[in-house]
């Protein structure tokens, strides 16, 4: 994932070397290199008329935050299956991924240059170094050339995998912060890059323009290559999804065959998934239905608030809402978001922890945020700009699109939120309501739109906003919760689990539409309901029911709304509301 974008950097796209003894001159190309290539008897002629200065963009990339273990394992297996021997040299072993081989030795410089297809090397051989691939909880790694610890700037604590500097040579305007990229390029781990922050560095081997940076900026932007390798991009593409079980692009002909074959067996997969989640939610099939709808929900575009509410609002209601200032600054609503508040959860971390573990096994990326006073007051949620180091310091809410965020409110106890805690809770609320995070640039805030699925588990009604509250009604109370929840995953065959994973990812990518005929029928149905009981349904209720109908249709593999699905959506919403009303009567207070 692109965590930060540094300023564009200049490099010698074409440069000339000269042999002082013979005056022989040779032209070199500097593309896909960090260090200028120069033979032992050659010098770079910085004043040559042949020199061409070019520009490239550097992206600071980190592993996809919260990427599931099954995703990493599948990509590793696929990479090993595609490996074939190089024609330029005979490898001593097959190519490995960083995650698999944490003790991978760097190639000696001569072998590395042969592998890259380049010529003479002025740096000689270096001792093999261990390539670090894991950041501790604080994301810090000690660099041999830096006295303070090096912060790899991972959004989530305890993340594994290498950060890397991705150098892009063309069309970098199409990439932005938080994009997930697939990159094919030249890996550069040249040891001379580690000398940038050292007093012993050889300034002639590096671009003199880098000396204009501050010491802190140099330390952050030019970390040792053994810790943060460089990748010079030959090809790069933004990914729609990171599920390795799905084709990367669904529009290709081969992918269409895959989709049609899977859709033909969608009904039994849905039934099995519903049964699996019903067991996970202690026998509550209604909550399982809503959890499926939540897991396939996605923001598809933003729209003016007026158009979302125009059904069922008369002129007087619109005037009143405008007078209240409802159409002020935030007049854009992210359509398709479906934040579910699963209330009635036992005040037992075992249950909510296992629900998260099950979600972790189903979706490609997820994170469990325990909403304790301690976490709220001491965690960094919002990314902010560090102008001294000229970089974006990450936060917990800097997540890739389609990440599932499970907020566990059952851990919340009485206590005092400090200023940081209040800001963090506000940021969570804004993420849920507006699907955006306001990054802090000190003098101003900048809105970064996102597409994050938020599930809130709580005892009573959540303190945070949500689109839909479903109160859990357990039908079974297992004597040993730990044993019961653990046995659920072990009982599922890996092949069935993979079908669940394909199901949830694929349905998020399908197009959906409502025909004019069905739209008219829904309007008439809504008007009829308002006539019978104006208080029973509002424009917001209609919007919510349309959302449920949309995801209900998609969950059955239907890309358009039918009358049958509309009636089923109304039925589900009636059951959900009746359950909330029943719970309210039992407890005597509002949920």
């Amino acid at each position: 994932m692109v965590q930060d974008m540094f300023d564009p950097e200049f490099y010698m796209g074409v440069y000339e070397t000269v042999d002082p003894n013979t005056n022989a001159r040779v032209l070199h190309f500097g593309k896909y290199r960090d260090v200028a290539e120069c033979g032992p008897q050659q010098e770079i002629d910085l004043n040559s008329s042949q020199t061409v200065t070019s520009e490239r963009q550097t992206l600071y990339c980190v592993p996809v935050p919260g990427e599931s273990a099954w995703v990493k394992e599948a990509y590793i297996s696929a990479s090993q299956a595609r490996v074939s021997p190089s024609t330029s040299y005979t490898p001593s072993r097959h190519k490995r991924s960083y995650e698999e081989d944490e003790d991978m030795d760097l190639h000696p410089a001569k072998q590395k240059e042969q592998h890259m297809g380049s010529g003479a090397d002025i740096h000689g051989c270096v001792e093999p170094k261990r390539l670090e691939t894991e950041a501790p909880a604080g994301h810090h790694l000690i660099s041999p050339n830096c006295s303070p610890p090096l912060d790899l700037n991972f959004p989530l604590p305890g993340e594994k995998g290498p950060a890397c500097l991705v150098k892009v040579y063309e069309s970098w305007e199409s990439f932005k912060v938080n994009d997930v990229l697939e990159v094919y390029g030249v890996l550069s781990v040249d040891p001379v890059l580690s000398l940038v922050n050292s007093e012993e560095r050889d300034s002639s081997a590096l671009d003199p323009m880098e000396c204009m940076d501050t010491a802190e900026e140099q330390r952050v932007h030019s970390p040792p290559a053994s810790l943060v390798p460089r990748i010079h991009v030959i090809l790069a593409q933004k990914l729609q999804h990171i599920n390795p079980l799905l084709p990367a692009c669904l529009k290709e002909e081969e992918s269409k065959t895959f989709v049609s074959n899977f859709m033909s067996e969608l009904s039994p997969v849905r039934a099995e998934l519903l049964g699996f989640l019903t067991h996970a939610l202690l026998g509550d099939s209604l909550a399982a239905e809503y959890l499926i709808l939540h897991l396939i929900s996605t923001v598809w575009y933003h729209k003016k608030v007026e158009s979302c509410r125009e059904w069922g609002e008369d002129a007087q209601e619109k005037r009143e809402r405008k007078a209240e200032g409802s159409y002020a600054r935030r007049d854009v609503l992210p359509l398709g978001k479906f934040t579910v508040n699963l209330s009635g959860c036992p005040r037992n971390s075992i249950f909510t922890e296992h629900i998260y573990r099950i979600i972790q096994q189903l979706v490609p990326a997820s994170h469990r945020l325990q909403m304790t006073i301690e976490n709220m007051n001491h965690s960094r949620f919002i990314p902010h700009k560090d102008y001294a180091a000229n970089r974006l310091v990450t936060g917990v809410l800097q997540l890739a699109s389609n990440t599932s965020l499970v907020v566990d409110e059952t851990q919340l106890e009485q206590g005092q939120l400090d200023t940081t805690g209040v800001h963090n809770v506000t940021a969570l609320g804004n993420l849920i309501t507006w699907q955006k995070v306001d990054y802090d640039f000190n003098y101003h805030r900048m809105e970064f739109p996102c597409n994050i699925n938020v599930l809130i588990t709580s005892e009573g009604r959540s303190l945070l906003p949500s689109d839909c509250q479903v109160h859990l009604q357990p039908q079974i109370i297992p004597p040993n919760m730990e044993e019961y929840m653990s046995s659920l995953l072990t009982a599922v065959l890996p092949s069935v689990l993979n079908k669940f994973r394909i199901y949830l990812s694929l349905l998020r990518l399908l197009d959906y539409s409502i025909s004019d005929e069905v739209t008219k029928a829904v309007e008439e149905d809504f008007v009829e309901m308002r006539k019978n009981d104006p208080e029973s349904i509002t424009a917001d209720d209609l919007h919510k029911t349309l959302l449920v109908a949309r995801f209900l249709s998609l969950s059955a593999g239907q890309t358009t709304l039918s009358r049958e699905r509309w009636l089923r959506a109304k039925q589900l919403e009636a059951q959900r509301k009746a359950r909330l009303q029943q719970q309210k009567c039992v407890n005597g207070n509002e949920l």
Side-chain angles (χ1 to χ4, degrees):
M1 185 190 80
V2 180
Q3 189 275 322
D4 196 4
M5 303 177 76
F6 296 158
D7 295 332
E9 66 180 25
F10 295 102
Y11 70 99
M12 292 186 292
V14 178
Y15 60 96
E16 193 172 31
T17 58
V18 59
D19 187 325
N21 300 320
T22 63
N23 280 334
R25 291 179 170 268
V26 181
L27 274 182
H28 301 264
F29 292 96
K31 201 173 185 182
Y32 308 126
R33 300 183 188 283
D34 286 294
V35 181
E37 176 192 279
C38 188
Q41 301 300 321
Q42 293 179 323
E43 295 176 356
I44 298 173
D45 184 358
L46 295 175
N47 298 316
S48 170
S49 60
Q50 303 283 352
T51 301
V52 176
T53 302
S54 302
E55 192 179 24
R56 61 192 177 197
Q57 175 70 56
T58 302
L59 312 177
Y60 184 78
C61 295
V62 297
V64 176
E67 187 177 49
S68 300
W70 64 267
V71 174
K72 295 180 188 292
E73 289 163 8
Y75 275 121
I76 288 170
S77 300
S79 295
Q80 288 175 334
R82 288 197 300 265
V83 165
S84 59
S86 169
T87 56
S88 60
Y89 78 109
T90 304
S92 57
R93 59 179 176 178
H94 285 302
K95 175 182 174 183
R96 295 176 181 263
S97 72
Y98 287 140
E99 289 87 349
E100 181 200 27
D101 189 358
E102 292 196 22
D103 294 313
M104 183 180 78
D105 294 333
L106 300 182
H107 288 291
K110 185 176 180 182
Q111 187 182 11
K112 176 181 68 65
E113 289 295 336
Q114 282 180 336
H115 174 51
M116 290 184 180
S118 56
D121 175 45
I122 61 169
H123 309 301
C125 295
V126 294
E127 294 180 9
K129 293 183 181 178
R130 182 169 183 264
L131 190 62
E132 298 290 346
T133 63
E134 178 178 353
H139 315 175
H140 296 299
L141 288 174
I142 304 298
S143 164
N145 297 316
C146 302
S147 46
L150 184 66
D151 183 357
L152 291 180
N153 220 10
F154 290 167
L156 302 178
E159 288 285 273
K160 295 182 180 180
C164 59
L165 291 173
V166 175
K167 313 258 181 173
V168 186
Y169 289 84
E170 55 190 28
S171 304
W172 58 72
E173 302 86 2
S174 61
F175 303 132
K176 60 183 186 298
V177 169
N178 302 335
D179 280 348
V180 175
L181 308 183
E182 183 177 60
V183 174
Y184 179 86
V186 178
L187 176 66
S188 172
V189 285
D190 199 312
V192 77
L193 296 171
S194 302
L195 301 178
V196 171
N197 297 314
S198 170
E199 295 176 357
E200 302 166 11
R201 90 181 196 192
D202 179 6
S203 60
S204 64
L206 301 165
D207 187 344
M209 291 295 287
E210 290 189 5
C211 299
M212 297 172 63
D213 300 336
T214 64
E216 180 63 17
E217 189 171 342
Q218 277 187 28
R219 193 177 74 85
V220 168
H221 287 223
S222 302
S226 57
L227 300 180
V228 183
R230 279 64 164 164
I231 299 177
H232 295 263
V233 174
I234 296 172
L235 292 172
Q237 65 171 347
K238 285 194 287 188
L239 295 181
Q240 277 185 299
H241 64 87
I242 60 167
N243 189 333
L245 305 175
L246 278 180
C249 180
L250 298 181
K251 294 181 180 178
E252 296 173 359
E253 208 55 46
E254 292 179 10
S255 303
K256 289 178 182 176
T257 306
F258 172 88
V259 172
S260 61
N261 289 342
F262 188 82
M263 296 296 276
S264 65
E265 57 179 44
L266 199 72
S267 184
V269 174
R270 187 193 194 281
E272 279 190 272
L273 178 59
L274 180 62
F276 174 66
L277 292 178
T278 299
H279 280 95
L281 294 169
L282 308 178
D284 190 341
S285 58
L286 181 66
E289 281 277 9
Y290 274 92
L291 185 54
I292 289 178
L293 305 188
H294 163 76
L295 290 173
I296 66 171
S297 66
T298 185
V299 175
W300 66 91
Y301 67 95
H302 291 65
K303 192 175 182 183
K304 291 287 184 184
V305 170
E306 292 97 318
S307 58
C308 297
R309 301 176 182 268
E310 58 191 9
W311 282 354
E313 248 191 13
D314 58 27
Q316 177 61 29
E317 286 174 316
K318 284 187 178 179
R319 280 196 296 271
E320 287 174 359
R321 290 202 329 106
K322 284 186 178 180
E324 292 169 2
S326 302
Y327 295 125
R329 185 174 68 87
R330 299 178 186 268
D331 61 346
V332 174
L333 184 71
L335 298 183
K337 73 183 182 69
F338 195 59
T339 298
V340 170
N341 171 207
L342 185 65
S343 60
C345 293
R347 190 174 177 80
N348 181 340
S349 61
I350 293 175
F351 175 76
T352 51
E353 182 183 335
H354 279 276
I355 289 296
Y356 170 66
R357 284 186 189 175
I358 285 170
I359 290 174
Q360 209 174 19
Q361 288 295 324
L362 297 175
V363 300
S366 60
H367 178 58
R368 180 186 178 212
L369 179 59
Q370 298 188 61
M371 198 172 171
T372 63
I373 295 293
E374 174 79 12
N375 281 347
M376 292 296 105
N377 287 344
H378 295 97
S379 297
R380 190 173 63 212
F381 279 23
I382 302 172
H384 70 273
K385 182 74 173 184
D386 178 355
Y387 286 95
N390 192 20
R391 71 161 176 175
L392 183 67
V393 178
T394 191
V396 172
L397 298 185
Q398 187 175 9
L399 301 171
S401 187
N402 296 326
T403 300
S404 287
L405 180 63
V406 179
V407 180
D408 187 359
E409 223 179 83
T410 63
Q411 306 292 305
L412 193 60
E413 295 180 342
Q414 286 188 347
Q416 185 71 38
L417 287 175
D418 60 18
T419 305
T420 301
V422 171
H423 286 163
N424 284 338
V425 172
T426 302
L428 261 180
N430 287 339
L431 167 66
I432 292 168
T433 306
W434 304 105
Q435 283 293 306
K436 70 178 191 62
V437 179
D438 294 328
Y439 289 19
D440 184 2
F441 284 80
N442 292 6
Y443 309 107
H444 68 285
R445 290 180 176 264
M446 187 178 294
E447 293 182 1
F448 280 73
C450 53
N451 185 3
I452 308 297
N453 272 19
V454 184
L455 174 69
I456 308 166
T457 57
S458 60
E459 282 187 281
R461 183 174 182 172
S462 172
L463 302 175
L464 297 167
S466 66
D467 299 302
C468 178
Q469 182 191 355
V470 181
H471 194 79
L472 186 69
Q473 278 192 352
Q475 304 301 305
I476 50 173
I477 306 295
N480 188 326
M481 184 73 75
E482 174 78 37
E483 188 179 312
Y484 175 82
M485 298 298 281
S486 298
S487 65
L488 283 175
L489 277 174
T490 54
V492 182
L493 292 171
S495 58
V496 174
L497 203 53
N498 281 341
K499 285 181 180 179
F500 293 167
R501 292 160 176 167
I502 294 170
Y503 174 89
L504 294 174
S505 292
L506 179 60
L507 296 184
R508 299 186 75 167
L509 300 170
L510 295 181
D511 293 326
Y512 174 85
S513 61
I514 304 179
S515 66
D516 293 340
E517 183 183 349
V518 174
T519 300
K520 186 178 179 183
V522 169
E523 281 186 28
E524 291 171 354
D525 196 9
F526 177 68
V527 170
E528 197 62 35
M529 287 188 289
R530 293 271 287 182
K531 275 183 184 176
N532 297 335
D533 186 2
E535 301 298 320
S536 66
I537 186 166
T538 65
D540 284 333
D541 291 328
L542 173 64
H543 175 63
K544 192 178 299 178
T545 310
L546 281 169
L547 263 185
V548 171
R550 173 191 178 95
F551 299 129
L552 200 58
S553 301
L554 288 172
S555 74
Q558 298 175 0
T559 56
T560 187
L561 179 61
S562 64
R563 179 156 183 80
E564 178 193 356
R565 295 296 163 194
W566 170 247
L567 294 175
R568 175 62 177 154
K570 285 172 59 180
Q571 183 186 21
L572 283 177
E573 277 295 278
Q575 290 175 10
R576 183 184 67 82
K577 290 178 181 177
R579 182 180 288 189
L580 286 176
Q581 190 61 37
Q582 179 187 3
Q583 191 64 28
K584 180 179 175 182
C585 294
V586 168
N587 288 353
N589 56 11
E590 187 178 353
L591 276 172

